[in-house]
Amino acid sequence: LQLHNLIRKDASTINIIQSRNHKMTAAVYSTFLTLFMCAGIVRASDPRNISINNNSGSKVELYWINPTTKESVLQSDPFIYNGATFALNSFVTHHFEARELPGKSGKCASSNDACGVGYFTVNENSDQVINIDKGFKLSHVDNVSIARESAVTMIANCKEEALLKLEEDGGGAEDTVDFFSKCVENSVSAEMQDANEEIAFQANIRQKMAERWENYTCADYDMPTSESIRSESWYHKGQKRNVEILLDKPSSRVHLIQNFISEEECEAMEKSAKKSLHRATVADGKGGSELSSSRKAMQAGIKIPWKLEKDGNKLTTLSRKVYDYVNHVLDMDIKENGQEDLMSIQYFGRGEDDEEPDRYTPHCDGDCNGLEFKHGTRMATMVMYCTIPEKGGATNFRNSGLHIVPEQGSATFFSYIDPDTMKMDKRFTEHSGCPVIEGEKKIVTQWVRYGVDDANPWDSFNTLGLKHSEVED
């Protein structure tokens, strides 16, 4: 909506080009303007970082205005020097006042009569900068206004070139529109290429930093769970559960749910898994699976006896709860038919001196390449904690900077698909299980797929997401 209103506002300034009594509508301009500006818009969340550049020629005091009492609360310490930049951490809708201070002469640089005063309000956009210039004039720029300015400049340049070509070569309105469109298209392509290169560069830095962050956080046994973005409540069959939202991107979500799995459900899983525990495997990159040092644990897949659901079977109750939460978040009408078995996974600590402790190194449960979803493959995971180790065993999402210390009965849900575009995550949900040093870690995991059913169950696909029946030997 924000983008839509912005485009409408800007489109009015470039509504038509008049040339030789021909009018060209702005539809093509607005289309490219939308594409251009999308590159600079990010989803809003309440906290915002603001840079305040003081080039007024005077010292400046900055005050937050309390919305309830209207009291002015000093934020600068005690003032911002001329030529200095002040970093402000605030929230959307917060209102601020900047006050010019007199110099040694007792006068202010902006006026001989009175010192300057200016106001600004934190908006929902990113990269906000407040410039305080000579005459104590405040300007508020952000990623949207910068994109708008670039787009308007780009369109103005293309308009000038189109009119010039029209004057030189003649031709009709259709030829001029085509020339203008190609000019805008080429300009947008160049801007998008620069933006993609910058994104790739920053992603590479982020992933390199994540590798070091992973080792540090796993070794810090006192590190608490990462702070959440917000808290929500989930009501399920008369019971309220608290949910901490740790990551909330369309294709990358991480939730921490309190009191998700009961002791009775944990006991039912452990009892069912006892006879069939075996060493855990990983995908081998060829469509199959193999043992690997990257994953040291014991596991057992448990088939859910859905015929016993009406009888209150603990396994069916637990599994139904998983699918209900997945649908609550993603609204993709996921059903239990054809889904993977509920998995019991167990890690055992053998002390600080163990050179190969039980753990699971960083990996993605499904595709995390940002490409189109492959029908029938994984798109969400629920990890439920039954037994908590005395030391180690945290869950890390290193590329998102998230560290989760498991609590008995809690669950970590994460999805790696955008249900609207069906595009996959770009490694933000890549995760790991830190080494278990002392005690035992017993979890229940459900990998959730989209596009499976009784006729096309999960095991009719290989680990590359291809149907076995369609793969040549």
Side-chain angles (χ1 to χ4, degrees):
L1 180 61
Q2 176 190 9
L3 177 61
H4 174 69
N5 291 336
L6 183 61
I7 293 300
R8 287 183 60 190
K9 179 179 179 182
D10 281 335
S12 65
T13 68
I14 55 167
N15 194 20
I16 55 174
I17 296 176
Q18 295 184 340
S19 176
R20 293 189 177 182
N21 297 323
H22 294 296
K23 293 185 178 181
M24 297 186 294
T25 66
V28 66
Y29 317 151
S30 295
T31 299
F32 287 113
L33 179 61
T34 302
L35 291 173
F36 182 86
M37 296 185 67
C38 279
I41 290 179
V42 297
R43 292 179 176 265
S45 56
D46 287 339
R48 288 293 181 269
N49 297 321
I50 302 98
S51 295
I52 302 174
N53 298 326
N54 179 20
N55 297 307
S56 65
S58 304
K59 297 176 182 177
V60 173
E61 287 181 336
L62 183 69
Y63 292 86
W64 169 62
I65 301 176
N66 188 305
T68 304
T69 65
K70 305 304 179 183
E71 176 188 4
S72 296
V73 182
L74 183 66
Q75 302 296 298
S76 51
D77 187 21
F79 47 74
I80 308 171
Y81 284 98
N82 177 47
T85 298
F86 179 74
L88 175 68
N89 298 317
S90 187
F91 295 85
V92 173
T93 73
H94 278 206
H95 195 53
F96 292 87
E97 178 184 38
R99 300 177 186 174
E100 183 182 20
L101 296 179
K104 294 181 180 180
S105 65
K107 297 181 179 181
C108 287
S110 63
S111 172
N112 292 327
D113 299 325
C115 291
V117 177
Y119 301 90
F120 67 89
T121 300
V122 180
N123 62 38
E124 293 184 345
N125 302 328
S126 299
D127 304 327
Q128 296 183 50
V129 177
I130 308 298
N131 294 311
I132 308 176
D133 296 320
K134 299 291 184 181
F136 216 74
K137 296 179 180 179
L138 270 66
S139 62
H140 189 165
V141 298
D142 52 48
N143 64 317
V144 173
S145 63
I146 292 172
R148 180 193 297 122
E149 183 179 352
S150 298
V152 170
T153 300
M154 175 189 70
I155 289 172
N157 291 338
C158 288
K159 172 185 173 182
E160 183 178 353
E161 291 183 23
L163 292 176
L164 181 61
K165 181 174 178 59
L166 186 62
E167 291 290 340
E168 293 177 350
D169 301 340
E174 184 175 351
D175 292 337
T176 305
V177 170
D178 288 342
F179 179 86
F180 181 86
S181 299
K182 290 178 181 178
C183 176
V184 173
E185 182 179 357
N186 292 336
S187 299
V188 170
S189 297
E191 292 285 347
M192 294 296 287
Q193 182 177 349
D194 290 343
N196 287 334
E197 289 176 356
E198 178 64 21
I199 291 171
F201 174 73
Q202 293 188 18
N204 185 49
I205 292 177
R206 171 172 54 83
Q207 291 177 13
K208 288 182 178 179
M209 292 176 63
E211 294 174 4
R212 298 184 180 184
W213 185 88
E214 166 79 14
N215 294 331
Y216 170 77
T217 53
C218 280
D220 187 352
Y221 307 124
D222 296 322
M223 177 171 285
T225 294
S226 299
E227 185 177 351
S228 64
I229 299 172
R230 66 180 184 275
S231 299
E232 295 182 354
S233 297
W234 180 52
Y235 295 87
H236 183 256
K237 296 186 177 180
Q239 184 175 352
K240 174 185 175 182
R241 291 179 172 84
N242 295 324
V243 181
E244 300 297 329
I245 309 298
L246 301 179
L247 181 64
D248 192 21
K249 294 170 63 66
S251 60
S252 319
R253 308 170 200 248
V254 180
H255 298 178
L256 181 58
I257 314 163
Q258 304 297 328
N259 302 313
F260 189 88
I261 185 170
S262 68
E263 290 187 19
E264 293 78 12
E265 290 165 344
C266 285
E267 290 173 359
M269 275 297 299
E270 187 168 355
K271 181 179 179 181
S272 299
K274 191 173 183 179
K275 295 181 180 179
S276 54
L277 281 172
H278 59 276
R279 285 188 62 187
T281 58
V282 299
D284 62 6
K286 303 175 183 178
S289 59
E290 63 183 2
L291 296 173
S292 172
S293 59
S294 66
R295 187 184 186 195
K296 287 196 63 179
M298 300 295 288
Q299 70 177 28
I302 307 301
K303 293 189 178 298
I304 304 302
W306 288 110
K307 293 181 180 180
L308 302 179
E309 185 173 12
K310 293 182 179 180
D311 300 330
N313 178 273
K314 294 299 180 183
L315 298 181
T316 62
T317 300
L318 175 60
S319 193
R320 178 66 62 200
K321 193 171 10 177
V322 170
Y323 296 121
D324 286 348
Y325 189 81
V326 173
N327 285 321
H328 163 71
V329 176
L330 300 178
D331 193 24
M332 294 179 69
D333 194 27
I334 300 296
K335 292 181 170 57
E336 70 275 13
N337 307 79
Q339 295 287 346
E340 295 189 48
D341 297 342
L342 203 56
M343 190 69 68
S344 174
I345 305 174
Q346 303 179 15
Y347 303 83
F348 301 92
R350 293 176 289 273
E352 295 275 5
D353 297 330
D354 187 2
E355 295 183 358
E356 295 185 357
D358 285 9
R359 66 177 304 177
Y360 200 171
T361 57
H363 63 284
C364 297
D365 284 351
D367 287 338
C368 53
N369 49 21
L371 300 179
E372 295 283 348
F373 170 74
K374 294 179 181 177
H375 194 75
T377 60
R378 295 174 179 174
M379 33 66 70
T381 302
M382 183 77 78
V383 177
M384 298 155 274
Y385 305 101
C386 287
T387 301
I388 306 306
E390 299 170 17
K391 182 181 290 187
T395 301
N396 273 344
F397 293 83
R398 63 180 189 174
N399 290 323
S400 298
L402 297 178
H403 180 77
I404 299 175
V405 179
E407 296 180 5
Q408 188 170 356
S410 67
T412 297
F413 164 83
F414 51 101
S415 58
Y416 25 99
I417 187 174
D418 182 339
D420 293 326
T421 66
M422 299 302 285
K423 294 290 184 64
M424 302 301 285
D425 167 47
K426 292 184 178 180
R427 306 200 76 82
F428 288 101
T429 59
E430 180 184 76
H431 59 287
S432 64
C434 291
V436 174
I437 306 303
E438 295 179 3
E440 299 178 353
K441 175 184 175 182
K442 296 181 180 179
I443 62 175
V444 177
T445 297
Q446 179 68 67
W447 292 293
V448 184
R449 295 177 178 241
Y450 181 74
V452 294
D453 51 33
D454 291 333
N456 301 280
W458 71 273
D459 53 2
S460 65
F461 297 85
N462 66 19
T463 56
L464 295 176
L466 302 175
K467 292 291 292 287
H468 289 298
S469 59
E470 299 173 358
V471 178
E472 297 181 358
D473 294 336

